[in-house]
Amino acid sequence: MPPAPRARPADLFTADEWAPFQTRRAWVGPLLVLHCWGVIGLAVVAGVLWPILIPLCVAVIGTRQLGLAILMHEAAHGGLSPNARLNDVLGHWLCAVPVGASLPLYRPYHLSHHKYAQQPEDPDLVLSAPFPVTRASLRRKIVRDLTGQTFFKQRVLFAFKAFASRRDEDLAEGAVVTGRSVAPFLLVNAALLAVAVLAGVWWAWFALWLLPLATWFPMVTRLRNIAEHACVEGSADDAFRAARTTRAAWWERAFIAPYWVNFHAEHHLFMHVPCWKLPALHRAVRGKPEGGRMVVAGGYLEVLKTASAGTTLPASG
């Protein structure tokens, strides 16, 4: 099948209008990585000092673990640094490996997703194809995430090749390409555990790193995946409908969608625009007539209502 339809900057913008989206600042990507780890560190300290805050800290840390995956995604597009070597070191060792991913494995997988977005060859099609589902089905998926079942499937069963098929919605985007990066993941996490032990709070690694990684992180990753492509009509034929953008309130950015990941339609239109420029790109595209064809949701609750609007088929026989 031919690649997914594309949009060219010249189709929408003059050279002067497009120029701001082509520039990259070398310090922004490293600063975002520092910010992500800084938020994680502050949440860990808060949880250690005031254990009553641990449930809140788990949500904050799990969202920033997703943030690390998002910054790995940015690195896959060369967006963390104009220096290719620094981009890959930051994206792999400081973003991908701590959450069990691998930038070298993820990059070709993800670029294939862009090339064939929402077409049969799209490796992420399994994430959006089942939707809409029933509310009960969506609830079961979220329960699997929050109880660690999804984490167990991705990090234990997959590592031991316990799956007969890789076309499993709990495995796509991440598990298939990261299940082979077990050794670096264990090495980095052993180092994090050692730091906790030396600090005299050995339990903090389990409660404030492993627990978020096994529960909140899979859940918000699923919500991100649903919001990006599920129930988007015409995505295989129209570049402006290849993905959904979700307007995110402050609390959604804090607990579900960090680092502008909610601007996914703009990212699919022009995938080399840095993530921190996506809000401005959103305004620019929406100001053009073609921008009216984009799918824009008012929030993640609206997306979940759409994605769980399926009906239960009557039993046969």
Side-chain angles (χ1 to χ4, degrees), residues 12-13 17-18 21 240 243-248 260-270 273-298:
L12 278 79
F13 304 109
E17 289 174 330
W18 183 244
F21 300 110
F240 289 85
R244 175 191 287 105
T245 279
T246 304
R247 293 194 178 99
W260 309 282
V261 72
N262 53 304
F263 292 100
H264 203 60
E266 295 77 12
H267 173 65
H268 265 265
L269 279 172
F270 306 113
V273 173
C275 62
W276 57 90
K277 294 189 175 185
L278 292 179
L281 181 61
H282 171 77
R283 293 189 294 270
V285 174
R286 292 289 281 178
K288 303 294 182 179
E290 296 87 345
R293 304 206 304 268
M294 294 169 60
V295 179
V296 180

Side-chain angles (χ1 to χ4, degrees), residues 7-8 11 17 25 33 41 59 80 90 103 117 123-124 141-142 159 173 184 196 229 240 242 248 255 265 286 306 310:
R8 299 179 306 162
D11 294 336
E17 289 174 330
R25 295 178 179 175
V33 176
L80 283 186
L90 290 173
L103 179 60
D124 276 349
K141 298 176 196 302
I142 292 175
E173 204 210 276
H229 292 287
F240 289 85
F255 294 106
R286 292 289 281 178
T306 300

Side-chain angles (χ1 to χ4, degrees), residues 6-62:
R6 301 286 178 205
R8 299 179 306 162
D11 294 336
L12 278 79
F13 304 109
T14 67
D16 288 342
E17 289 174 330
W18 183 244
F21 300 110
Q22 291 183 293
T23 58
R24 294 175 182 263
R25 295 178 179 175
W27 55 270
V28 178
L31 184 62
L32 289 177
V33 176
L34 180 63
H35 175 271
C36 195
W37 279 107
V39 173
I40 290 171
L42 288 174
V44 169
V45 170
V48 169
L49 294 178
W50 302 289
I52 194 173
L53 295 179
I54 285 178
L56 176 63
C57 294
V58 165
V60 171
I61 293 167

Side-chain angles (χ1 to χ4, degrees), residues 64-87:
R64 293 301 141 176
Q65 289 169 333
L66 173 61
L68 292 175
I70 291 166
L71 294 176
M72 173 195 69
H73 164 267
E74 188 71 10
H77 291 284
L80 283 186
S81 173
N83 182 301
R85 182 174 178 82
L86 178 60
N87 176 84

Side-chain angles (χ1 to χ4, degrees), residues 107-121:
R107 179 177 280 135
Y109 172 96
H110 182 66
L111 294 181
S112 179
H113 162 65
H114 273 274
K115 184 176 181 179
Y116 297 110
Q118 297 299 285
Q119 300 196 30
E121 293 84 355

Side-chain angles (χ1 to χ4, degrees), residues 189-234:
N189 275 270
L192 293 175
L193 176 58
V195 169
V197 170
L198 290 174
V201 287
W202 61 268
W203 57 267
W205 181 82
F206 294 94
L208 294 166
W209 178 259
L210 184 60
L211 182 61
L213 191 65
T215 58
W216 196 266
F217 173 56
M219 191 270 288
V220 290
T221 299
R222 188 186 298 277
L223 297 186
R224 167 201 169 184
N225 290 330
I226 292 172
E228 289 176 349
H229 292 287
C231 305
V232 178
E233 300 272 336

Side-chain angles (χ1 to χ4, degrees), residues 165-176:
S165 171
R166 294 185 176 189
R167 306 307 293 171
D168 185 297
E169 62 185 302
D170 288 340
L171 291 181
E173 204 210 276
V176 169

